[in-house]
Amino acid sequence: MTDNPTSIQTGLRSELWQLVRSQLQLLLEQGNLEGAKALLIPVKPVDIAEVIEGLPESMQVIAFRLLSKTEAIEVYEHLEAATQQALLQKFKHQEVLDVVDKMSPDDRARLFDELPAKIVRRLLAQLSPHERQATALLLGYEEATAGRIMTPEYISLKESLTVTQTLERIRSLANASEVIYYLYVTDNSRHLAGIVSLRDLVISSPDKTLGEIMTRDVICLHTDTDQEEVARTIQRYDLLAVPVVDREQRLVGIVTVDDVIDILQQEATEDIYALGGLQSDGDNYFQTNLVTVVRKRVVWLLVLLFTNTVTGSIIKSQESVIAKMAILTAFIPLLTGTGGNVGAQSSTVIIRGLNTDEIKDLGSAKVIFREGMAGILLGVILGFLAMLWAYFILKTNPFVAFSVGISLVAIAFLASVAGSSLPFLFRTFGLDPALMSAPFITTAVDVLGVLIYFTVARTILRL
C-alpha cells in the first residue's frame, strides 16, 4: 500500500518549516542578521509568516525587519491577527504606516476590525487619500458581509473598447488590481453590464469590442450578502472572483477565491468549536491568553453542570426503586451516554446540512421524521445488544435486562428527534444551531432519558 503523495509532500513542507524556524531562531540568538536574512530569501511569504509566528515574541519583530518592504507587506497579510497586533505595538510609527498603507484594502479592513478604535482612527487619518477612501468604504459595511470582505481593486472597462485597447489598458492597470483574470464591463454610471474572462479576451480577434465578446448574464452579489453565501456562490459556480454591487447595481468591488478559502476555514472552525460548546470570535485559540480561554469554555460547562444536578435530583427521587433493585443504577451511564452519542450524530448531520443547504428542499418535518426512524432502528440494534450483555455477561434479572433494552430504544428515538429538531428551532429564532444544540441535547437526553428508564423499569418490574 503506497502513501498519499499529497500527505507526504505536506509532511515534508512541515518539516522544512520547522527546520527553517529553528535555524532562524539560532541565527537571531547569535546575532547573525545577515545569515538570517539570507535564510529567508528562498522562502515564500506565506511560509515566512508561519515561521515568524513560531518564533518567541521578542524575535518576531527582528525577523520581520529583515524583510524587504514589498515582501514585508505580503508576509504581514498572512500573519494571524494576534501577531499582527503584537508587531504593530513594537514598530516605529513610520514603519506602521509603510506596512498598513501598502496592504490590500480588504486585508487592511480585516486588520482594523481587530485593533482598538483609537488606533484605527489614527492610522486611517494618516493613510494616503486613495487608500483611506478605499478602507473607509469597506469599514462602512456590516461585518461578515460581502461589502466588508470585498476589495475595491479591480479592472473596470467600457464595452466600446477593442481587444487590443483592452490589453493595453490591462498592462497599465495590472499593478493596481488584485486580479486580472476577470474584467468587468460597466456603463458611464458604473452599472455592471457584463464580464470578460482573460481567456476569452486572448483568443478573440484584436478588432472585436468588449460588447461583442462579454457575458451579459453575470453572477453578482450585493454588499449586504452574508459572507457564507458569498463562499457558497463562488464554490457552486467554480468562480475565481465574484463582483459585488450596491443597491443601484453599481459595481463597488470583488470578492476573490483566496478570501473565500479564509472564510470557509473560519466558519468551519467556529462550527467545530460551537459543537464542543466553545464560543469563538475568530482568534487563534492557542494564541489566546488563559483567562480568555477559560471565559470561552466556562459558559456551557456551567449549563451542563446545572443539567447534571437536575439528573442527580431525578435519580435521588427514585430512591425507593433503587433500594429494591440497586442494579438499575449500573446502566444509567450506558443509557445516557449512548443517547448523547446518538443525539450528537443527528445534530451534527443536520447542522452540516443546514450550512451546505443540502436539506433545504426536504423540509424540516421530513428530515426530523427520517432521523426519528433512524433513531428507532439504532435503538433496536443497540438495545438488543445491551439486553444480551446485561443478561448473559452481568447475570442480571431478565426483566432488568429487558428494561434496559426497551429504555435504550426510547432514548435513542428521543435523542434523534431532539438532535434533529433543535437545530431547526434555534435557526428559526436567529440563534447559532451549532453553539446552542449541544448543551440542550445533553439536557434532554440526560433528564428525560433517566425518567424514561426508571418509568420503564417500574412498569416492567412492578416496583
Side-chain angles (χ1 to χ4, degrees), residues 4-21:
N4 188 329
T6 304
S7 62
I8 293 174
Q9 187 177 14
T10 303
L12 290 173
R13 288 187 67 188
S14 178
E15 290 178 11
L16 178 61
W17 295 335
Q18 292 174 9
L19 179 61
V20 172
R21 185 185 302 157

Side-chain angles (χ1 to χ4, degrees), residues 107-335:
D107 288 323
R108 189 188 303 120
R110 200 172 296 123
L111 169 64
F112 283 4
D113 280 337
E114 304 292 336
L115 294 175
K118 184 178 180 181
I119 296 177
V120 170
R121 284 194 296 270
R122 190 177 75 236
L123 290 175
L124 200 56
Q126 296 177 23
L127 292 175
S128 63
H130 173 73
E131 295 300 333
R132 181 166 62 249
Q133 182 181 4
T135 306
L137 170 70
L138 301 186
L139 292 175
Y141 298 108
E142 290 185 24
E143 289 188 32
T145 61
R148 195 60 166 260
I149 63 173
M150 71 182 183
T151 176
E153 296 179 339
Y154 58 89
I155 295 178
S156 172
L157 304 163
K158 299 293 182 282
E159 60 181 287
S160 58
L161 291 176
T162 64
V163 169
T164 301
Q165 292 172 326
T166 301
L167 289 172
E168 287 296 327
R169 187 160 175 78
I170 291 173
R171 292 188 188 100
S172 64
L173 296 176
N175 292 331
S177 175
E178 186 163 326
V179 295
I180 61 169
Y181 31 78
Y182 289 140
L183 311 171
Y184 301 96
V185 182
T186 59
D187 61 19
N188 292 330
S189 300
R190 290 199 356 259
H191 293 122
L192 183 61
I195 185 172
V196 178
S197 70
L198 191 59
R199 178 184 181 279
D200 291 339
L201 190 70
V202 171
I203 65 176
S204 296
S205 170
D207 297 327
K208 278 192 173 183
T209 64
L210 293 183
E212 295 177 271
I213 64 174
M214 72 179 185
T215 301
R216 297 184 183 274
D217 183 19
V218 182
I219 297 169
C220 62
L221 297 169
H222 288 86
T223 52
D224 58 356
T225 303
D226 185 86
Q227 65 177 16
E228 287 191 59
E229 181 61 30
V230 175
R232 281 195 289 266
T233 300
I234 289 182
Q235 186 180 37
R236 179 173 184 175
Y237 294 103
D238 292 327
L239 302 173
L240 295 175
V242 63
V244 180
V245 298
D246 61 15
R247 292 181 180 178
E248 285 75 37
Q249 298 299 308
R250 293 189 299 252
L251 182 64
V252 291
I254 60 172
V255 178
T256 56
V257 69
D258 59 320
D259 294 321
V260 166
I261 292 172
D262 294 337
I263 292 166
L264 292 174
Q265 182 178 355
Q266 177 188 340
E267 297 292 345
T269 300
E270 289 178 0
D271 287 343
I272 291 170
Y273 281 177
L275 286 171
L278 277 77
Q279 297 174 328
S280 173
D281 53 12
D283 293 336
N284 187 323
Y285 178 85
F286 298 101
Q287 293 182 354
T288 307
N289 68 68
L290 194 57
V291 175
T292 305
V293 167
V294 172
R295 179 178 55 78
K296 288 180 178 180
R297 297 174 61 173
V298 75
V299 177
W300 289 124
L301 290 176
L302 290 173
V303 173
L304 295 175
L305 177 64
F306 172 73
T307 60
N308 285 331
T309 62
V310 175
T311 306
S313 299
I314 293 172
I315 294 173
K316 188 176 185 303
S317 69
Q318 303 294 325
E319 283 181 326
S320 60
V321 176
I322 295 172
K324 296 175 183 177
M325 194 68 69
I327 190 62
L328 290 173
T329 58
F331 300 100
I332 292 175
L334 179 147
L335 295 171

